[in-house]
Amino acid sequence: MALMITDECINCDVCEPECPNSAISQGEETYVIDAAKCTECVGHYDESQCIAVCPVDCIVADPNHGESKEQLHDKFLKLTATPA
Amino acid sequence: MNDIVALNKKDFETNQDVRWCPGCGDYAVLAQVQKLMPTLGIPRENFAFISGIGCSSRFPYYMETYGMHSIHGRAPAVASGLKLARPELSVWVVTGDGDALAIGGNHFIHAMRRNIGLKILLLNNRIYGLTKGQYSPTSELGKKTKTTPHGSIDRPFSPVAVALGAGATFVARTVDSDLAHMAQVLRRAAEHEGTAFVEIFQNCIVFNDGAYDAITDKSVRDDARLMLEHGKPLLYGKERNRGIRLRGLEPEAVTVGENGVTEADLVVHDEAADHSGLAFFLSQFDAPKLPVPLGVFRAVSAPAYEDMNNQLHADAEVRRGRGNLAGLFNSGDTWTIE
């Protein structure tokens, strides 16, 4: 699953620079995760970097984007592929 | 060769662990300030962050700039000295409702009065957070805290009103949860010549959680807050049909389209007015009777203290030549004790 940020977010900006996929940005109300770019850090790290640093534990799995580890890994490969 | 290195937010972050409570509003303020700095076209070594004592006063530790965690309530005094000695620096003061308004009230008002080029950010959480929850000069009447177990009987004051009363030339207010608004207000403050004062409503999640729910909660905030825009009528509300009308000197919340009220009847915001009357009048607004204003209350141009000080010195040097401190000490009525 891709991850999502709930409205508990306090906009501290700690997660944004940690994301290896640049999937996190400042949204209108809170920070947001672009599900198309989020691999839960699969391919980069053993644990999701944003969840590890979030001071208020407001980052959870996004129920609308169910993906298996394999699918996340495929996404990682696509995101990091060098254009031919 | 272009030797100007473009800075980014990371350049303003330190390697210190940020020691505010998880969920504190201070994080959002820090992030916005760190984002703003590299966009100002000022070399990093020309920034200085000065603070007093309190949670907000930990700010300089987290800014990769020069700075000083100074004396309780005295940050404006330390910062004023720095600005006079090094007028080319961009000097920022980060303070709180206790630091600036209780122990530091004196220094605070005199910085405003002088119009010295400081950017003063007051993180107002309406409580003493660092000392674990005692009432502050902005705590509301009746508030129960550790030092007011039966409810506070001290009437709070508005930092915006105090700043205006002291003659501030730039006064604004924003809130920790509205990033875009905070960014915009901070930029305006950064660009102001003279003292720029910004009150930031900041939630203390541990000792005063929810202090600003009425103006931050998505479901109710549009009816409880008034976003000030220069040259625009004072309109607010979910439907943008509520407005402020004056009956003599009495402000009145009205609904446009009802009882013959039109937009033309509403007060038009003028942040650049010569007198601070309208700004002061807005500073008195409070929920639930009237919406809480956010934005720039006042922004007028006036000579900055450091410029006047430089001029004073230059003029004196023309008239009397360069000063000689040792000579001065040994001149005039001197004597020797034997």
Side-chain angles (χ1 to χ4, degrees), chain A residues 11-13 26 29 31 55-56, chain B residues 9 22-23 27-28 35 179 221:
Chain A
N11 292 310
C12 72
D13 193 65
Q26 185 181 311
E29 296 286 337
Y31 277 67
V56 290
Chain B
K9 175 173 182 273
Y27 286 93
K35 277 192 177 160
L179 303 182
R221 68 184 182 194

Side-chain angles (χ1 to χ4, degrees), chain B residues 252-321:
Chain B
E252 181 184 38
V254 292
T255 306
V256 174
E258 278 179 18
N259 303 320
V261 176
T262 69
E263 240 182 75
D265 297 320
L266 305 180
V267 179
V268 172
H269 185 46
D270 181 6
E271 62 184 33
D274 279 347
H275 59 85
S276 54
L278 174 61
F280 189 77
F281 164 87
L282 288 166
S283 75
Q284 303 299 301
F285 282 23
D286 207 355
K289 197 175 159 215
L290 290 165
V292 177
L294 296 176
V296 178
F297 287 69
R298 187 165 201 237
V300 294
S301 173
Y305 190 76
E306 61 275 19
D307 295 339
M308 294 167 77
N309 183 59
N310 282 347
Q311 193 59 50
L312 193 88
H313 282 245
D315 290 350
E317 213 170 298
V318 168
R319 278 198 317 274
R320 304 180 57 176

Side-chain angles (χ1 to χ4, degrees), chain B residues 180-245:
Chain B
H181 189 261
M182 190 179 0
Q184 197 185 329
V185 164
L186 291 175
R187 174 170 299 281
R188 289 285 311 275
E191 289 166 359
H192 181 73
E193 301 270 332
T195 312
F197 171 66
V198 182
E199 176 188 17
I200 304 173
F201 286 160
Q202 173 250 321
N203 192 46
C204 171
I205 196 166
V206 176
F207 297 107
N208 201 15
D209 193 23
Y212 298 111
D213 275 359
I215 59 156
T216 56
D217 188 308
K218 257 184 264 181
S219 58
V220 294
R221 68 184 182 194
D222 291 334
D223 289 321
R225 67 188 194 180
L226 170 64
M227 307 308 278
L228 301 174
E229 287 178 83
H230 181 57
K232 302 263 176 71
L234 299 178
L235 264 175
Y236 67 102
K238 254 196 202 100
E239 319 285 334
R240 292 280 296 169
N241 65 345
R242 302 278 291 156
I244 304 298
R245 180 171 77 173

Side-chain angles (χ1 to χ4, degrees), chain B residues 16-32:
Chain B
Q16 302 278 310
D17 285 337
V18 181
R19 288 198 194 153
W20 285 315
C21 304
C24 177
D26 289 4
Y27 286 93
V29 182
L30 178 65
Q32 288 309 311

